[in-house]
Amino acid sequence: MQDTEYTNEQEFNDTSLSTNNSELQGDLSQLIHYFDKMNIKEIDPIARLNKQENFAIEDFNIIVDEIHDFIFKLINKGLEINSVKQQVIEYFNNYDLNSHEVYNWLLDNKNSSNSIFILGYFDYYGIEINKNDENAFNLFINASEKNHILAQYFIGECYFYGKGTMKNDKLAIEYYEKAVDKNFTPGQVSIGYCYEKGIGVEKDLKKAFYWYEIAANNGSLMAILY
């Protein structure tokens, strides 16, 4: 689960401070450093679009799809949420993209599940606008109906924290499971966390370990620590 007020994030920090396994800390630190410093410009074809003053519709569609893929890769690695948000902002800066222009285009062109999700992502984290959890939730629902995996995961987050909707642990689990069915690593971590804490399900540390181990084997940094 990933959120600026995220319980897991606090658990992550607390555990990092208290663990006696210095070798694990060292390895994890190196992994986090690697992904935090990853070369954003390795992701193309946006490189050929930068510095253009006017974008055609197909150019914006390329940009939206690339932004989506970039977010997906970072979240799937289990990076801390502020790091993901900051790298998304840097992504715009590195490619000389006007995030406000992209946001305005998204408002008028909700023509794909990725564009709908990205618009919700802007609302959820307050990129270019004030945070609007209700709008974000409704957009995630819209994209989820098109079987969008990130949208399904973020709906789980909304239900888990009561953002844009009433808090509902059972529905959070239901949407996390949709992500798990697609082998989405953050969903596996979230399910493991719910089993560890007994949130929406009966507490079961063996099942928690099972899901953490699967996510760790898929490369999740947070799951590796757990």
Side-chain angles (χ1 to χ4, degrees):
M1 305 173 190
Q2 313 220 15
D3 196 282
T4 54
E5 303 167 3
Y6 184 26
T7 304
N8 265 23
E9 179 184 328
Q10 185 62 47
E11 293 277 341
F12 185 95
N13 293 333
D14 290 346
T15 307
S16 296
L17 292 172
S18 62
T19 181
N20 292 322
N21 191 334
S22 60
E23 181 179 354
L24 174 60
Q25 282 185 328
D27 292 344
L28 190 64
S29 176
Q30 290 179 0
L31 284 170
I32 292 174
H33 177 78
Y34 171 78
F35 286 110
D36 281 350
K37 301 301 181 183
M38 68 188 294
N39 184 358
I40 294 175
K41 286 194 175 183
E42 290 177 356
I43 301 178
D44 281 321
I46 288 188
R48 70 175 181 271
L49 300 177
N50 64 345
K51 297 184 181 300
Q52 290 182 213
E53 295 183 357
N54 298 305
F55 294 94
I57 291 178
E58 58 271 20
D59 293 335
F60 268 112
N61 285 331
I62 292 173
I63 290 171
V64 166
D65 289 344
E66 292 294 332
I67 293 170
H68 166 270
D69 292 348
F70 183 66
I71 293 172
F72 185 98
K73 290 175 183 178
L74 293 181
I75 292 178
N76 206 40
K77 282 295 179 184
L79 297 187
E80 188 268 326
I81 192 60
N82 287 330
S83 175
V84 175
K85 179 181 177 181
Q86 184 58 39
Q87 289 201 42
V88 171
I89 293 172
E90 290 177 5
Y91 186 83
F92 284 106
N93 293 336
N94 283 8
Y95 286 106
D96 296 319
L97 296 173
N98 186 322
S99 56
H100 183 70
E101 182 180 357
V102 173
Y103 177 78
N104 286 336
W105 183 87
L106 287 169
L107 286 173
D108 296 327
N109 294 275
K110 296 186 284 290
N111 52 13
S112 70
S113 60
N114 281 350
S115 63
I116 295 168
F117 168 77
I118 296 298
L119 185 59
Y121 188 89
F122 272 60
D123 282 326
Y124 193 81
Y125 289 115
I127 299 174
E128 286 301 336
I129 55 167
N130 293 326
K131 291 178 64 175
N132 191 321
D133 292 334
E134 186 174 353
N135 278 354
F137 177 75
N138 290 331
L139 288 163
F140 292 152
I141 288 288
N142 189 333
S144 174
E145 291 171 351
K146 297 174 173 59
N147 207 32
H148 193 280
I149 185 172
L150 274 178
Q152 290 169 344
Y153 175 75
F154 272 87
I155 292 170
E157 295 285 86
C158 288
Y159 278 125
F160 188 91
Y161 292 103
K163 290 195 168 188
T165 187
M166 294 292 292
K167 178 176 171 62
N168 189 317
D169 294 337
K170 295 290 187 182
L171 285 175
I173 290 288
E174 180 180 322
Y175 276 92
Y176 289 146
E177 286 178 342
K178 290 179 184 290
V180 165
D181 287 342
K182 299 180 178 68
N183 200 34
F184 186 53
T185 301
Q188 296 162 350
V189 176
S190 298
I191 291 290
Y193 182 82
C194 289
Y195 274 115
E196 180 185 358
K197 304 300 181 181
I199 300 172
V201 292
E202 184 177 349
K203 185 174 181 178
D204 189 326
L205 296 183
K206 288 185 178 179
K207 288 184 179 179
F209 180 83
Y210 170 81
W211 285 113
Y212 287 152
E213 187 172 39
I214 289 178
N217 289 338
N218 284 336
S220 170
L221 302 180
M222 188 173 290
I224 290 170
L225 183 63
Y226 284 166

